[in-house]
Amino acid sequence: MRNFLSANDVEDVELLAQEVLELKKNPFQWKALGENKTMVLIFLNSSLRTRLSTQKAAQNLGMNTIVLNLGQDSWNMEFHEGAVMNGNTAEHIKEGAAVISEYADMIALRSFPTLTDKINDYQEFVLKQFMKYVNVPVVNMESATVHPLQSLTDLATIREFSTKKRPKVVLTWAPHLRALPQCVSNSFAQWMNRADVDFVIANPEGYDLSHEFRGDAPIFRNQEEAFKDADFIYAKNWSSFEQYGQILKTDFDWMITEEKMALTNHAKFMHCLPVRRNVVVSDGVLDSASSIVIQQAGNREWAAQAVIKRILENK
Ligand code: AN0
Ligand code: CP
């Protein structure tokens, strides 16, 4: 593998998820692989899990890590070709990406969508501009449309906790006060559609994800109906794709509650975190034994390690 930008860089998602769980058993076995190599992690947005787990993963493989909060500790970067840089951007991505490549053997990038410019976002403008000028392998730490390190983690976690070969997995929209990206949900759908699971989506009218990612997964407008016989409930808020970046539903009746979880087949509750308690999901669910959000977040380390290892090995 040269880059890890989305599920499209992975031939067999189930095989990679197995590698994640294997690495978890013996994380320091490959310490020599990354010796004297440096990973630069670039953040254009906030992060807790991705920031810590990706650094640890690289360090477990013997790499050195440097974190750069772009625009905060460095100059504001210009991404547009031919820009007259008389505004507040001081450095162009042409030099920026090339210079970072001089110091890095691998680069990881987080850059959220604008949620105002649908065309730019869904063309992955920032990531593509970056890829044009970078000279080393790149790991996507959440871009405008996907979050593949999260989705690989999610698949590995489902395999770890599943008692069935083909569990029923429900991706459900949940309420939120802010307009959030579609990335986690797009990406989860893309990975689940390629995995050996029975996958359905529940979301209110106006919140259908892009067909590019949801594929032919059944969509339920009735959340409670979707929950029947579910083995995994994966909750996430996203803003509308159709009415791009808008919040269309402001009440909380899609919040995940214990009553709704009782409709499932003793399902495990999953969320990528951070999560707003008693908005997205009730305390009762999050604090119950059915919630595996902490174990899920823990698996981010092994997922990142499986990806970085494959890139270091170039296979
Ligand atoms: C981000 C999102 O929804 O994409 C990051 C999640 C991993 N979440 C928030 O902005 C709250
Ligand atoms: N789930 C996740 O990516 O969390 P952070 O935004 O904190 O990295």
Side-chain angles (χ1 to χ4, degrees):
M1 190 158 63
R2 166 75 186 174
N3 302 301
F4 182 71
L5 305 184
S6 77
N8 296 333
D9 291 310
V10 182
E11 214 170 286
D12 183 338
V13 294
E14 293 282 6
L15 191 65
L16 188 55
Q18 284 310 318
E19 284 175 32
V20 172
L21 297 176
E22 282 304 309
L23 270 172
K24 183 172 182 171
K25 290 185 208 151
N26 199 352
F28 304 114
Q29 194 183 354
W30 307 94
K31 192 92 192 169
L33 201 57
E35 209 179 358
N36 298 328
K37 298 204 161 150
T38 297
M39 172 127 176
V40 176
L41 296 93
I42 305 172
F43 289 90
L44 282 87
N45 314 93
S46 306
S47 165
L48 187 156
R49 280 142 290 273
T50 307
R51 182 183 295 266
L52 300 185
S53 63
T54 312
Q55 283 187 79
K56 262 202 94 188
Q59 290 164 7
N60 292 347
L61 292 163
M63 298 182 87
N64 302 310
T65 57
I66 301 173
V67 177
L68 184 68
N69 298 309
L70 202 74
Q72 291 176 43
D73 335 310
S74 66
W75 309 102
N76 269 336
M77 201 70 76
E78 177 62 56
F79 286 86
H80 290 89
E81 301 291 337
V84 177
M85 289 170 55
N86 59 358
N88 53 23
T89 52
E91 177 150 33
H92 200 279
I93 190 66
K94 273 193 192 185
E95 287 78 38
V99 168
I100 297 166
S101 303
E102 293 286 311
Y103 311 131
D105 299 283
M106 202 181 295
I107 296 176
L109 179 70
R110 165 165 285 198
S111 171
F112 284 176
T114 61
L115 292 181
T116 52
D117 190 336
K118 184 174 186 171
I119 292 172
N120 257 24
D121 287 350
Y122 273 73
Q123 282 175 350
E124 289 284 5
F125 170 73
V126 170
L127 180 63
K128 288 234 172 85
Q129 283 299 91
F130 191 78
M131 294 306 293
K132 233 158 109 180
Y133 299 113
V134 91
N135 300 309
V136 296
V138 173
V139 175
N140 183 350
M141 296 195 293
E142 188 170 347
S143 60
T145 66
V146 288
H147 191 359
L149 285 175
Q150 182 66 54
S151 314
L152 170 59
T153 304
D154 299 336
L155 178 57
T157 307
I158 287 169
R159 287 289 165 235
E160 187 178 24
F161 283 88
S162 185
T163 50
K164 290 182 186 163
K165 197 178 171 303
R166 197 177 159 80
K168 178 176 172 184
V169 178
V170 181
L171 167 64
T172 178
W173 185 90
H176 204 281
L177 296 92
R178 299 243 177 101
L180 296 190
Q182 295 100 33
C183 307
V184 170
S185 313
N186 280 342
S187 201
F188 186 73
Q190 187 180 36
W191 285 68
M192 287 302 120
N193 281 331
R194 291 182 56 183
D196 190 15
V197 297
D198 174 13
F199 178 58
V200 306
I201 305 175
N203 63 255
E205 192 116 21
Y207 282 99
D208 289 358
L209 294 166
S210 158
H211 188 263
E212 178 188 350
F213 298 104
R214 71 178 152 82
D216 296 325
I219 300 176
F220 287 74
R221 296 271 178 256
N222 182 327
Q223 193 185 32
E224 301 191 351
E225 198 184 319
F227 275 38
K228 278 183 202 144
D229 301 321
D231 298 298
F232 292 89
I233 297 295
Y234 193 99
K236 181 75 183 80
N237 170 268
W238 60 89
S239 59
S240 174
F241 170 70
E242 293 158 38
Q243 288 171 253
Y244 194 62
Q246 300 296 306
I247 296 176
L248 309 176
K249 186 171 161 54
T250 50
D251 59 63
F252 289 173
D253 58 359
W254 276 61
M255 181 170 80
I256 318 304
T257 60
E258 285 165 286
E259 292 73 36
K260 288 180 192 169
M261 290 300 288
L263 302 170
T264 68
N265 176 33
H266 306 287
K268 298 291 185 201
F269 176 81
M270 298 178 72
H271 190 282
C272 65
L273 305 182
V275 72
R276 288 187 183 234
R277 282 177 172 259
N278 304 311
V279 173
V280 172
V281 53
S282 71
D283 279 340
V285 173
L286 215 42
D287 296 333
S288 74
S290 64
S291 171
I292 55 170
V293 298
I294 305 299
Q295 296 94 324
Q296 182 186 354
N299 283 340
R300 288 290 306 270
E301 181 173 350
W302 323 119
Q305 199 173 327
V307 166
I308 297 166
K309 177 172 173 282
R310 271 207 188 178
I311 295 175
L312 286 171
E313 292 171 334
N314 200 13
K315 73 178 190 198

